[in-house]
Amino acid sequence: DAGITQSPRHKVTETGTPVTLRCHQTENHRYMYWYRQDPGHGLRLIHYSYGVKDTDKGEVSDGYSVSRSKTEDFLLTLESATSSQTSVYFCATRASSGGANEQFFGPGTRLTVL
Amino acid sequence: GQQVMQIPQYQHVQEGEDFTTYCNSSTTLSNIQWYKQRPGGHPVFLIQLVKSGEVKKQKRLTFQFGEAKKNSSLHITATQTTDVGTYFCAAHNFNKFYFGSGTKLNVKP
């Protein structure tokens, strides 16, 4: 597996508080992704990045923002957490276009919003 | 966005039985990927299919891409307890990926 770490691995927070999740990679992959995983929904794309400072929305981006100031780091921020954002969040990376387009996933962050 | 429907949602089999999961799209796909997620783990890439009618094998796993590139299947022959997990298909459209809801496989020893 690619060197992908996520922090924190577990977090419990209260409604209305800001939360930032971090994804760090050591593979120098161009693309980075944030997904949320909920029962019955598989993985849904929140935001992705195609380079430093280059990001785009996914299918469930409302309530989330991202930033990528360095190749290796991709941050996901919940400005004001809501209970509907309780989920498992996965970061993934992908090398440049071409080849197998394989995504490498991090270990996940379990977020609970009370 | 692109939608990929995956069935069944759950499958319980006896060890040694076969297993198949199916993905369907209403639109033509450029390619489709398959991932496996073990309980408590993260998704792991298995394979990518690109060509119409493509069939690829990995030991007991057989992956197919439909002739119209709108559907795909993963078949496991003679399941083992190590096959337990959730299998996802994912459609790749430009830089985005659209995952099916997954098929959770349970194998009874």
Side-chain angles (χ1 to χ4, degrees):
Chain A
D1 280 347
I4 304 170
T5 56
Q6 292 184 230
S7 59
R9 294 292 314 280
H10 301 270
K11 186 169 182 67
V12 180
T13 191
E14 293 189 350
T15 298
T17 60
V19 176
T20 295
L21 308 183
R22 180 181 184 241
C23 178
H24 179 79
Q25 60 137 335
T26 59
E27 299 298 315
N28 201 35
H29 284 172
R30 177 183 175 186
Y31 297 92
M32 297 187 76
Y33 300 83
W34 275 108
Y35 292 92
R36 60 177 290 173
Q37 185 173 36
D38 305 290
H41 288 278
L43 292 120
R44 291 182 291 176
L45 181 63
I46 304 171
H47 283 279
Y48 73 99
S49 170
Y50 49 96
V52 173
K53 291 186 171 31
D54 292 323
T55 65
D56 200 358
K57 295 180 179 180
E59 54 184 320
V60 290
S61 58
D62 287 349
Y64 302 94
S65 62
V66 290
S67 65
R68 191 167 179 202
S69 59
K70 298 185 290 185
T71 298
E72 56 266 36
D73 290 325
F74 193 32
L75 304 181
L76 177 70
T77 298
L78 291 66
E79 300 292 345
S80 177
T82 67
S83 58
S84 64
Q85 293 175 312
T86 292
S87 187
V88 178
Y89 291 85
F90 284 100
C91 171
T93 70
R94 180 169 70 94
S96 296
S97 297
N101 289 314
E102 175 180 0
Q103 289 184 90
F104 298 90
F105 283 82
T109 293
R110 184 172 294 276
L111 176 67
T112 302
V113 183
L114 302 176
Chain B
Q2 196 151 38
Q3 285 200 337
V4 180
M5 308 302 294
Q6 189 173 356
I7 57 169
Q9 191 173 1
Y10 301 97
Q11 187 82 56
H12 301 271
V13 300
Q14 200 72 37
E15 189 173 21
E17 292 180 339
D18 292 356
F19 160 78
T20 305
T21 174
Y22 302 89
C23 271
N24 293 286
S25 170
S26 57
T27 60
T28 301
L29 304 172
S30 57
N31 61 65
I32 194 154
Q33 298 182 341
W34 286 92
Y35 291 79
K36 177 183 178 180
Q37 183 177 22
R38 295 183 186 275
H42 59 273
V44 175
F45 175 82
L46 295 175
I47 208 162
Q48 175 172 280
L49 305 172
V50 178
K51 299 177 183 176
S52 168
E54 188 169 16
V55 178
K56 287 189 177 180
K57 293 190 176 184
Q58 290 179 350
K59 297 183 180 177
R60 294 177 295 103
L61 277 61
T62 302
F63 304 85
Q64 293 189 343
F65 202 8
E67 293 289 342
K69 300 184 72 173
K70 290 185 176 181
N71 58 77
S72 181
S73 64
L74 158 58
H75 179 81
I76 303 178
T77 303
T79 55
Q80 300 175 357
T81 55
T82 53
D83 295 325
V84 165
T86 302
Y87 293 85
F88 295 97
C89 59
H92 180 205
N93 190 11
F94 294 101
N95 291 321
K96 298 182 182 180
F97 291 84
Y98 299 89
F99 281 77
S101 54
T103 297
K104 189 172 183 179
L105 173 64
N106 186 37
V107 181
K108 299 177 196 175

